[in-house]
């Protein structure tokens, strides 16, 4: 009658798969169509001074090296929005789309991006293809911010349920 | 110490439950209030020529036969948005709401809808009622597109974790 | 070859963890910056008379007692939107952020909020920290509505997969 799964040992330090990738976001400002990878589709509102309600849709490159010019190994497709009155803070939902010789499939991630924390954990809610039925945790760390033009997040994606 | 679940055999071709349903979306154009089932709530942006950032909220009928006039067996409530500069490509998050003699409960699905692919897999992140704690994969195929007036997706929803 | 998990007994009435919390939402109306906890970032559209497409971003307090003035034990960060032509009905996606001596971590919830039902079940898609890899069901009940100024939901969050 225990609701706990029997026979499971998910040690946070022992994922069955791990991907460490960099997420690069270049917000559309009206003049950078060639380079922009995201665009504000709604908001911001006038609630506070931290872009509350600005919702950005993105199709961002994911790379294994931190430099923007390094070859993408996946696309991150989804959205984030800012959601605090008192500081910059965001919420993300997106899918990593892999289509290379190394990986084919998707990983879908969502959760709060508490930007003031050095690292913060979001949830891996599912996966397909090579990541069929995956679950886990994605740890975000801000790696670089250049005003509203560019930001880079390090995403340490640890899967604890793997079927492939 | 293996993080792999013991005793699990999730064969992609052997779901514990399967639903094959058609999703019908009629976008509100300002004059079709009676028939429209979705409406653009944000965007599109000026980034590219493929409606980047157009976010549509929907309450769409789901049917077992492809014809729009066939009786709905569920509602699909959620949203999609377009997210590429170079082609039509979308991201979906929604809940199937069943309230019939056959099924009561919900199934929540999210992921990338890579419209250029013949089929694409999204993730079933959870369920309630008859679909309590469900997980799985939803395979989309575009079944019909009539400009911006109507599109129909075939959704092959395969659950690999079932508790009912 | 059974796709059913072996050794699992998830009884809906026997969660491994349970949190009963109240969600308080004060929508920004242009003049209540000090008190507002949410703001409309997109919509509504002209489809129907029930705010179809109004998307509100929120950073709402969660309390154990129903009164708004009681001390918050978590923040709920995310969004909801209205999605029916014929009645008020919503869809939610958000993360509960706990950062107290009692709980540290997050719980991410999404699903349909069928406001006309006395109670309705949404899905817990994941968790982190104290709620590492959590899954379950969140049962909503409307507790109070004061026009568009304030509403309160009782959220009975039952986790059936727990690893901490």
């Amino acid at each position: 009658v225990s609701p706990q799964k029997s026979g499971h040992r998910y040690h946070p330090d022992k994922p069955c798969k791990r991907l460490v990738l960099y997420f690069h976001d270049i917000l559309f400002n009206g003049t950078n169509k060639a380079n922009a990878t995201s665009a504000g589709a709604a908001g911001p509102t006038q609630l506070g001074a931290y872009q509350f309600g600005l919702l950005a849709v993105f199709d961002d490159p994911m790379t294994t090296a931190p430099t923007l010019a390094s070859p993408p190994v996946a696309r991150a497709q989804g959205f984030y929005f800012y959601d605090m009155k008192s500081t910059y803070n965001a919420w993300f939902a997106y899918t990593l789309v892999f289509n290379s010789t190394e990986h084919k499939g998707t990983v879908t991630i969502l959760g709060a991006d508490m930007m003031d924390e050095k690292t913060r954990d979001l949830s891996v809610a599912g996966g397909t293809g090579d990541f069929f039925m995956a679950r886990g945790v994605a740890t975000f760390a801000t790696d670089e911010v250049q005003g509203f033009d560019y930001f880079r997040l390090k995403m340490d994606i640890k899967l604890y349920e793997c079927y492939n």
Side-chain angles (χ1 to χ4, degrees), chain A:
Chain A
V1 266
S2 164
Q4 202 97 15
K5 285 185 195 175
S6 56
H8 290 175
R9 298 290 181 276
Y10 294 139
H11 294 293
D13 54 347
K14 289 185 186 165
C16 45
K17 268 189 197 160
R18 188 173 179 186
L19 299 160
V20 179
L21 298 172
Y22 292 87
F23 171 97
H24 305 267
D25 191 85
I26 302 172
L27 193 62
F28 181 49
N29 62 16
T31 63
N32 60 346
K33 276 191 190 184
N35 296 324
T37 60
S38 72
T45 70
Q46 297 301 310
L47 185 57
Y50 300 93
Q51 306 283 320
F52 192 106
L54 171 60
L55 186 155
V57 167
F58 59 77
D59 171 29
D60 281 358
M62 301 294 294
T63 62
T64 50
T67 48
L68 173 58
S70 59
V73 295
R75 306 299 299 184
Q77 300 184 335
F79 68 104
Y80 60 82
F81 53 80
Y82 294 99
D83 61 2
M84 280 190 79
K85 290 197 289 188
S86 55
T87 187
Y88 283 109
N89 195 77
W91 196 88
F92 274 73
Y94 62 103
T95 299
L96 298 179
V97 179
F98 294 86
N99 187 15
S100 65
T101 50
E102 200 179 356
H103 296 299
K104 288 197 197 307
T106 69
V107 174
T108 293
I109 295 169
L110 65 171
D113 175 22
M114 294 158 280
M115 295 164 65
D116 285 347
E117 304 292 323
K118 193 174 173 189
T119 64
R120 48 274 184 190
D121 287 344
L122 288 81
S123 290
V124 177
T128 67
D130 291 353
F131 308 99
F132 178 70
M133 297 278 284
R135 298 192 72 228
V137 169
T139 301
F140 281 22
T142 303
D143 202 56
E144 189 168 344
V145 178
Q146 296 175 5
F148 281 101
D149 296 326
Y150 172 67
F151 70 88
R152 182 171 66 236
L153 300 174
K154 184 179 179 178
M155 298 184 175
D156 185 350
I157 300 156
K158 290 153 285 189
L159 305 180
Y160 299 98
E161 299 195 9
C162 302
Y163 304 97
N164 287 332

